[in-house]
Amino acid sequence: METEHRVSTLELFFDLVFVFTITQLTVLLADDLTLRGAGQVVLIFTVLFWMYGGYAHLTNQVPPDRTVRRVLLMLAMGAFMVCALAVPTAFGAGGVAFGLGYLLVVLVHGALFTQAHGRGVLWFALPNVLCALAVTAAGFFDGLPAWGLWLLALLLQFVTPVVVQRVAASGAAAEPEAVEQTVGDQLGGMNAAHLVERHGLLLIIVFGESVIAIGIGVGSLPLSAGIAGGAFLALTIASAMWWMYFVRDEGRAEEVFAQTPPDRRFRLAMAAYYYAFLPVLLGMAVFAAGVKKTIGHLGEHLHTGPAVALAGGVALYLAGNLVFRAVLGIGPARYRATALVLALATVPVGTGWTGAGQLVALAVVLVGAVVAEGGRSPADQAGGTAAASVTGS
């Protein structure tokens, strides 16, 4: 039986700083609701979330329970803050500052992991450093060269888990037994309760971004009945998305991870809490950008950008959630899949009618999905097979 290992207040403090990067990405997207702006947001967030996941796994195995670890983690927080401040100009004048901040994030991560695993960290620390150098180099260029270097950074990130797993499986190194042991610990030593709780806390902080977006969107406008109603609708949509994960999925996810053999948890965690969580978190940021641009124009026809942001943010969240459930063997999927399609279908409501109309439509779709699922028993909700069999195939 695993020992109790819960998230510390310092880790939660770390998450609050990291989420500031998502706030900045929301601002960036709200100011540039185009394919170019969306592409920049996806690249920046994917690169940043990779290292967030690295720190979540780090503190899962190397708790910040000593002075030197706490100080290093605070240093990483400062580096993430630099990245966040540079986000709006990461593809421009702030590119080098972003890259240097990210490089410090990577170096501190490697230093902290070294305390637990020694030289075994090189198998993932070196690709992370190369990724940070690619992002830093992108700051010296404009246009296609910059985009190419950012894409190179993503490629390095996606290749790293494959390399690490093969090293753990084969022990192909100068000291095979030592390397296999240390990398094997990295892959399989994760505490299930801590892993699920840490990402749940991150998600709830990101949900707060949608609430902040309501206030920013209202700004200095007088608090009319229409504004209050629009805020209520936006909060209803966010609450329905909260319900889907925290009432329906989080407890089951912890059960599945606890039932999964330790040596298979790394692959499961990568699938559920990195690849699937990327669209979940991005969806919340996109939805928040849509709310920010809509809340002051509820009685008007929306431009295409805000309408797509509202519907697309919800759809992204649902798509990531569906992948998350599929990876963990949680069902059923049909209600949320239907909600995803219907959410996208609300775009013409916003552009052809009003922003308020689109918010009403989205609220009806999501609350309807929650109610439809609510009629099923917990056993039916579990649906699929245990993740141990999923990851063992």
Side-chain angles (χ1 to χ4, degrees), residues 192 252-262 265 268 385-389:
R252 178 59 180 153
E254 184 170 339
E255 292 176 6
V256 172
F257 271 98
Q259 295 164 8
T260 302
R265 286 182 189 169
L268 184 63
T385 59
S389 62

Side-chain angles (χ1 to χ4, degrees), residues 257-289:
F257 271 98
Q259 295 164 8
T260 302
D263 62 338
R264 296 177 183 170
R265 286 182 189 169
F266 176 78
R267 184 167 62 176
L268 184 63
M270 283 294 300
Y273 283 117
Y274 180 67
Y275 297 116
F277 245 52
L278 274 170
V280 166
L281 296 173
L282 274 172
M284 288 305 304
V286 173
F287 173 71

Side-chain angles (χ1 to χ4, degrees), residues 61 116-117 179-190:
Q61 299 178 16
H117 299 307
V179 173
E180 188 170 358
Q181 181 180 3
T182 55
V183 178
D185 288 342
Q186 153 66 5
L187 297 183
M190 289 178 288

